[in-house]
Amino acid sequence: MGGAVSAGEDNDELIDNLKEAQYIRTELVEQAFRAIDRADYYLEEFKENAYKDLAWKHGNIHLSAPCIYSEVMEALDLQPGLSFLNLGSGTGYLSSMVGLILGPFGVNHGVELHSDVIEYAKQKLDFFIRTSDSFDKFDFCEPSFVIGNCLEISPDCSQYDRVYCGAGVQKEHEEYMKSLLKVGGILVMPLEEKLTKITRTGPSAWETKKILAVSFAPLIQPCHSESGKSRLVQLPPLAVRSLQDLARIAIRGTIKKVIRQETVSSSGNGLKNTPGVKRRRVRRRRMETIVFLDKEVFASRISSPSDDNSCEDLEEEPREEDRAPPPEAKPAPPVNFLREKVLSLPLPDPLKYYLLYYREK
């Protein structure tokens, strides 16, 4: 499923193509997509296909096409502080992008059937937090993954503001999916070969919108135990943040404000003056035109509109042997100002590492 947009050379070019095709339409969704490199969720030997608008599957590991994830993220209408449940959370790619928007006071839970995929998702999440500079640009709602069949969620679990199912839902399970949603919440799922958005407008009132035709593998039906009873999935509790976590969130927020103020002061007008890429000056060649008239050749020079000797900005075209290829300007790596500021603080190293979410293996 996919192939709706052109392949990109890197993650940013893929996002540019998704924007141009109107799959990504809001700034929040664009920021989340740019912050997490899709290739990081591929196995090394398959990364050459990461920026194609195609689904990828290897064993139990699966990623939907970028155009599908784009439509899902837009349809969920995510906001900071909401609760999100990902049914069939897979690699955690979507859950991590959602977490960038939910912020530190959101809830981000995932249910995945395969234990090896959960381990894979945890490794990718840990890699993102430890190595990505994008992580420090956001207040992140870290996803939690539990193993089990998403059709066996315990009935006493809390309802959610946003729910997504990453597998095809049969009609007989539609009401079950709706029961996971709070009033005012949004459910997005593949239902009868259509990506469908369902909004709960009241205790028994719903609005349904078909987004686009899709092809998803169907949900796997529960396998009952030898006793005939189902294995109920217990979702993580909606725990209150510890005082230590709240302090870290507040300190990082304060440092970010200081950095923004310093940026405003240094630029003078609040606009950050980033050096642009220096473009090569275009030199237009003179064009010689040959005209054919009644089987006879009539050679004449015809000036093109761009051939203007009076233009002072145009320089004389150098000879081919004198033209040296311009050196390729490599952009400087982005500076992680938050990390630099924390490391410069007169604090013990363990506290600095805690503020940076440093994790020792």
PDB file of all heavy atoms in Angstrom, residues 26-43:
ATOM      1  N   THR A  26      -0.721  20.200   8.180  1.00  0.00           N
ATOM      2  CA  THR A  26      -0.603  21.072   9.353  1.00  0.00           C
ATOM      3  C   THR A  26       0.844  21.114   9.841  1.00  0.00           C
ATOM      4  O   THR A  26       1.612  20.164   9.646  1.00  0.00           O
ATOM      5  CB  THR A  26      -1.509  20.585  10.499  1.00  0.00           C
ATOM      6  OG1 THR A  26      -1.144  19.243  10.851  1.00  0.00           O
ATOM      7  CG2 THR A  26      -2.973  20.612  10.078  1.00  0.00           C
ATOM      8  N   GLU A  27       1.186  22.216  10.494  1.00  0.00           N
ATOM      9  CA  GLU A  27       2.569  22.424  10.929  1.00  0.00           C
ATOM     10  C   GLU A  27       2.985  21.425  12.001  1.00  0.00           C
ATOM     11  O   GLU A  27       4.113  20.927  12.004  1.00  0.00           O
ATOM     12  CB  GLU A  27       2.736  23.856  11.451  1.00  0.00           C
ATOM     13  CG  GLU A  27       4.173  24.202  11.795  1.00  0.00           C
ATOM     14  CD  GLU A  27       4.324  25.642  12.242  1.00  0.00           C
ATOM     15  OE1 GLU A  27       3.344  26.414  12.139  1.00  0.00           O
ATOM     16  OE2 GLU A  27       5.435  25.993  12.683  1.00  0.00           O
ATOM     17  N   LEU A  28       2.072  21.108  12.938  1.00  0.00           N
ATOM     18  CA  LEU A  28       2.404  20.163  14.008  1.00  0.00           C
ATOM     19  C   LEU A  28       2.786  18.803  13.443  1.00  0.00           C
ATOM     20  O   LEU A  28       3.758  18.183  13.872  1.00  0.00           O
ATOM     21  CB  LEU A  28       1.215  20.011  14.967  1.00  0.00           C
ATOM     22  CG  LEU A  28       1.088  21.017  16.107  1.00  0.00           C
ATOM     23  CD1 LEU A  28      -0.164  20.737  16.918  1.00  0.00           C
ATOM     24  CD2 LEU A  28       2.316  20.977  17.012  1.00  0.00           C
ATOM     25  N   VAL A  29       2.015  18.322  12.486  1.00  0.00           N
ATOM     26  CA  VAL A  29       2.289  17.021  11.888  1.00  0.00           C
ATOM     27  C   VAL A  29       3.604  17.070  11.103  1.00  0.00           C
ATOM     28  O   VAL A  29       4.417  16.145  11.178  1.00  0.00           O
ATOM     29  CB  VAL A  29       1.117  16.586  10.981  1.00  0.00           C
ATOM     30  CG1 VAL A  29       1.478  15.335  10.188  1.00  0.00           C
ATOM     31  CG2 VAL A  29      -0.133  16.328  11.825  1.00  0.00           C
ATOM     32  N   GLU A  30       3.830  18.150  10.384  1.00  0.00           N
ATOM     33  CA  GLU A  30       5.081  18.278   9.639  1.00  0.00           C
ATOM     34  C   GLU A  30       6.286  18.242  10.570  1.00  0.00           C
ATOM     35  O   GLU A  30       7.283  17.561  10.302  1.00  0.00           O
ATOM     36  CB  GLU A  30       5.084  19.585   8.834  1.00  0.00           C
ATOM     37  CG  GLU A  30       6.383  19.801   8.065  1.00  0.00           C
ATOM     38  CD  GLU A  30       6.462  21.164   7.400  1.00  0.00           C
ATOM     39  OE1 GLU A  30       5.445  21.895   7.371  1.00  0.00           O
ATOM     40  OE2 GLU A  30       7.553  21.508   6.898  1.00  0.00           O
ATOM     41  N   GLN A  31       6.220  18.970  11.676  1.00  0.00           N
ATOM     42  CA  GLN A  31       7.331  19.002  12.624  1.00  0.00           C
ATOM     43  C   GLN A  31       7.625  17.612  13.179  1.00  0.00           C
ATOM     44  O   GLN A  31       8.790  17.216  13.326  1.00  0.00           O
ATOM     45  CB  GLN A  31       7.016  19.974  13.760  1.00  0.00           C
ATOM     46  CG  GLN A  31       7.045  21.435  13.353  1.00  0.00           C
ATOM     47  CD  GLN A  31       6.608  22.357  14.490  1.00  0.00           C
ATOM     48  OE1 GLN A  31       6.092  21.895  15.522  1.00  0.00           O
ATOM     49  NE2 GLN A  31       6.810  23.641  14.319  1.00  0.00           N
ATOM     50  N   ALA A  32       6.566  16.862  13.495  1.00  0.00           N
ATOM     51  CA  ALA A  32       6.753  15.520  14.039  1.00  0.00           C
ATOM     52  C   ALA A  32       7.400  14.593  13.015  1.00  0.00           C
ATOM     53  O   ALA A  32       8.316  13.819  13.334  1.00  0.00           O
ATOM     54  CB  ALA A  32       5.413  14.953  14.496  1.00  0.00           C
ATOM     55  N   PHE A  33       6.973  14.676  11.762  1.00  0.00           N
ATOM     56  CA  PHE A  33       7.548  13.841  10.710  1.00  0.00           C
ATOM     57  C   PHE A  33       9.011  14.184  10.467  1.00  0.00           C
ATOM     58  O   PHE A  33       9.834  13.291  10.228  1.00  0.00           O
ATOM     59  CB  PHE A  33       6.747  13.985   9.412  1.00  0.00           C
ATOM     60  CG  PHE A  33       5.645  12.971   9.259  1.00  0.00           C
ATOM     61  CD1 PHE A  33       4.393  13.208   9.803  1.00  0.00           C
ATOM     62  CD2 PHE A  33       5.860  11.789   8.577  1.00  0.00           C
ATOM     63  CE1 PHE A  33       3.371  12.276   9.662  1.00  0.00           C
ATOM     64  CE2 PHE A  33       4.845  10.858   8.429  1.00  0.00           C
ATOM     65  CZ  PHE A  33       3.596  11.095   8.972  1.00  0.00           C
ATOM     66  N   ARG A  34       9.347  15.463  10.498  1.00  0.00           N
ATOM     67  CA  ARG A  34      10.741  15.859  10.242  1.00  0.00           C
ATOM     68  C   ARG A  34      11.652  15.495  11.417  1.00  0.00           C
ATOM     69  O   ARG A  34      12.854  15.296  11.235  1.00  0.00           O
ATOM     70  CB  ARG A  34      10.821  17.360   9.970  1.00  0.00           C
ATOM     71  CG  ARG A  34      10.181  17.790   8.650  1.00  0.00           C
ATOM     72  CD  ARG A  34      10.607  19.185   8.240  1.00  0.00           C
ATOM     73  NE  ARG A  34       9.847  19.667   7.102  1.00  0.00           N
ATOM     74  CZ  ARG A  34      10.117  19.363   5.824  1.00  0.00           C
ATOM     75  NH1 ARG A  34      11.133  18.564   5.551  1.00  0.00           N
ATOM     76  NH2 ARG A  34       9.376  19.864   4.853  1.00  0.00           N
ATOM     77  N   ALA A  35      11.103  15.408  12.601  1.00  0.00           N
ATOM     78  CA  ALA A  35      11.917  15.173  13.793  1.00  0.00           C
ATOM     79  C   ALA A  35      12.405  13.730  13.896  1.00  0.00           C
ATOM     80  O   ALA A  35      13.421  13.471  14.543  1.00  0.00           O
ATOM     81  CB  ALA A  35      11.126  15.539  15.051  1.00  0.00           C
ATOM     82  N   ILE A  36      11.691  12.802  13.282  1.00  0.00           N
ATOM     83  CA  ILE A  36      12.038  11.385  13.397  1.00  0.00           C
ATOM     84  C   ILE A  36      12.334  10.832  12.009  1.00  0.00           C
ATOM     85  O   ILE A  36      11.464  10.824  11.135  1.00  0.00           O
ATOM     86  CB  ILE A  36      10.907  10.594  14.076  1.00  0.00           C
ATOM     87  CG1 ILE A  36      10.662  11.125  15.493  1.00  0.00           C
ATOM     88  CG2 ILE A  36      11.226   9.106  14.108  1.00  0.00           C
ATOM     89  CD1 ILE A  36       9.598  10.391  16.266  1.00  0.00           C
ATOM     90  N   ASP A  37      13.546  10.371  11.820  1.00  0.00           N
ATOM     91  CA  ASP A  37      13.959   9.845  10.519  1.00  0.00           C
ATOM     92  C   ASP A  37      13.361   8.454  10.329  1.00  0.00           C
ATOM     93  O   ASP A  37      13.622   7.533  11.110  1.00  0.00           O
ATOM     94  CB  ASP A  37      15.483   9.773  10.454  1.00  0.00           C
ATOM     95  CG  ASP A  37      15.994   9.619   9.029  1.00  0.00           C
ATOM     96  OD1 ASP A  37      15.395   8.824   8.266  1.00  0.00           O
ATOM     97  OD2 ASP A  37      16.984  10.273   8.682  1.00  0.00           O
ATOM     98  N   ARG A  38      12.573   8.304   9.270  1.00  0.00           N
ATOM     99  CA  ARG A  38      11.915   7.022   9.009  1.00  0.00           C
ATOM    100  C   ARG A  38      12.922   5.885   8.850  1.00  0.00           C
ATOM    101  O   ARG A  38      12.664   4.748   9.262  1.00  0.00           O
ATOM    102  CB  ARG A  38      11.049   7.150   7.748  1.00  0.00           C
ATOM    103  CG  ARG A  38      10.301   5.880   7.345  1.00  0.00           C
ATOM    104  CD  ARG A  38       9.422   6.154   6.134  1.00  0.00           C
ATOM    105  NE  ARG A  38       8.894   4.935   5.543  1.00  0.00           N
ATOM    106  CZ  ARG A  38       7.770   4.329   5.914  1.00  0.00           C
ATOM    107  NH1 ARG A  38       7.042   4.841   6.891  1.00  0.00           N
ATOM    108  NH2 ARG A  38       7.351   3.229   5.316  1.00  0.00           N
ATOM    109  N   ALA A  39      14.100   6.193   8.293  1.00  0.00           N
ATOM    110  CA  ALA A  39      15.103   5.151   8.067  1.00  0.00           C
ATOM    111  C   ALA A  39      15.598   4.530   9.368  1.00  0.00           C
ATOM    112  O   ALA A  39      16.054   3.380   9.378  1.00  0.00           O
ATOM    113  CB  ALA A  39      16.284   5.722   7.284  1.00  0.00           C
ATOM    114  N   ASP A  40      15.506   5.260  10.479  1.00  0.00           N
ATOM    115  CA  ASP A  40      15.958   4.724  11.762  1.00  0.00           C
ATOM    116  C   ASP A  40      15.124   3.533  12.214  1.00  0.00           C
ATOM    117  O   ASP A  40      15.546   2.782  13.102  1.00  0.00           O
ATOM    118  CB  ASP A  40      15.909   5.813  12.845  1.00  0.00           C
ATOM    119  CG  ASP A  40      16.967   6.876  12.645  1.00  0.00           C
ATOM    120  OD1 ASP A  40      17.949   6.603  11.909  1.00  0.00           O
ATOM    121  OD2 ASP A  40      16.824   7.981  13.209  1.00  0.00           O
ATOM    122  N   TYR A  41      13.952   3.353  11.634  1.00  0.00           N
ATOM    123  CA  TYR A  41      13.062   2.257  12.031  1.00  0.00           C
ATOM    124  C   TYR A  41      13.138   1.074  11.069  1.00  0.00           C
ATOM    125  O   TYR A  41      12.398   0.105  11.208  1.00  0.00           O
ATOM    126  CB  TYR A  41      11.624   2.769  12.158  1.00  0.00           C
ATOM    127  CG  TYR A  41      11.474   3.637  13.384  1.00  0.00           C
ATOM    128  CD1 TYR A  41      11.915   4.959  13.374  1.00  0.00           C
ATOM    129  CD2 TYR A  41      10.963   3.133  14.572  1.00  0.00           C
ATOM    130  CE1 TYR A  41      11.833   5.749  14.512  1.00  0.00           C
ATOM    131  CE2 TYR A  41      10.882   3.906  15.714  1.00  0.00           C
ATOM    132  CZ  TYR A  41      11.316   5.215  15.674  1.00  0.00           C
ATOM    133  OH  TYR A  41      11.244   5.987  16.811  1.00  0.00           O
ATOM    134  N   TYR A  42      14.068   1.153  10.108  1.00  0.00           N
ATOM    135  CA  TYR A  42      14.319   0.049   9.190  1.00  0.00           C
ATOM    136  C   TYR A  42      15.523  -0.764   9.670  1.00  0.00           C
ATOM    137  O   TYR A  42      16.432  -0.226  10.317  1.00  0.00           O
ATOM    138  CB  TYR A  42      14.639   0.582   7.792  1.00  0.00           C
ATOM    139  CG  TYR A  42      13.438   0.860   6.921  1.00  0.00           C
ATOM    140  CD1 TYR A  42      12.533   1.870   7.239  1.00  0.00           C
ATOM    141  CD2 TYR A  42      13.206   0.123   5.765  1.00  0.00           C
ATOM    142  CE1 TYR A  42      11.437   2.136   6.430  1.00  0.00           C
ATOM    143  CE2 TYR A  42      12.121   0.379   4.947  1.00  0.00           C
ATOM    144  CZ  TYR A  42      11.243   1.381   5.283  1.00  0.00           C
ATOM    145  OH  TYR A  42      10.154   1.635   4.482  1.00  0.00           O
ATOM    146  N   LEU A  43      15.539  -2.041   9.336  1.00  0.00           N
ATOM    147  CA  LEU A  43      16.757  -2.817   9.490  1.00  0.00           C
ATOM    148  C   LEU A  43      17.802  -2.285   8.509  1.00  0.00           C
ATOM    149  O   LEU A  43      17.465  -1.800   7.428  1.00  0.00           O
ATOM    150  CB  LEU A  43      16.476  -4.295   9.218  1.00  0.00           C
ATOM    151  CG  LEU A  43      15.562  -5.003  10.230  1.00  0.00           C
ATOM    152  CD1 LEU A  43      15.190  -6.387   9.731  1.00  0.00           C
ATOM    153  CD2 LEU A  43      16.225  -5.085  11.595  1.00  0.00           C
TER     154      LEU A  43
END
